[in-house]
Amino acid sequence: MTRWAFVVLAGVLSACAVGGGKDHGESRNLEVARAALRGGAPQIALRATTARLADDPTDVEAALLQGDALTALGRLEQAEWSYRAALRGRPGLAAAHLGLGRCLLATHPAEAERQFQFSVDREPGNAAAWNDLGVARDLLRRHDDAQMAYRRALAANPQMIGAQVNLALSLAMSGEAGAAERMVRPLADEAAASVKLRHDLAAVLAMGGQRDEAARILSSDLSPQQVAEALSVYMAARDTGLSPQSAGLGNVAPQIAAP
């Protein structure tokens, strides 16, 4: 889910994985899958988990890892089935609820919120799950509740840049652009700041009425037409409280940062 043009509030979502194996063959396949996911090779992880599930279709850990691999490959409908298979075997598996929520986030944010809520109820120290819960609530235009979730993510992991950026975007969408700018500008002004962080700052500035400065930042990376489209997206988000995708403006928008 690494598209530059995703929604202001949905963006990149990292996969979770859990461990364990019962026999040598299972352990080998799952170890390969975990290592492949850590190394950024989800296709290898998918082959390993598929091989394991061919031997034992009820293996919960393999189904979970398969879901993570499919999510990393952008095959969300298939990933959803893998996570649901894991939950049939272990209904209380927080990581599977988290993965399922990520599959549903862009299309069914209310159901995604329920999945994330289950995950944080089971694992209240899981910063990534709190961050994702905030994204779902922002997509539902419940910005105060979203900001609470981002703050819980930051309480669990104060260095989580994704939650800091998400909180800033949520504040800007709810009319607190000054606070949002104070939060995101130090990150965007660093010498090594990514393009994404600079565009996040531009989004905050545009929502706060500083269109000229926002356009200047965006013009370093985008064509004049793309700059104009991006500014329209940001203003629509501010004026309606809707994500750009919901407003039919999903072609230009900053990504949410990875947890």
Side-chain angles (χ1 to χ4, degrees), residues 3 17 30 46 89 124 181 210 256:
R3 297 172 297 170
L30 297 189
L46 180 59
E181 180 183 351
Q210 300 182 62
I256 234 166

Side-chain angles (χ1 to χ4, degrees), residues 161-175:
I161 292 176
Q164 294 177 53
V165 171
N166 295 348
L167 177 56
L169 289 169
S170 183
L171 287 168
M173 288 183 66
S174 57

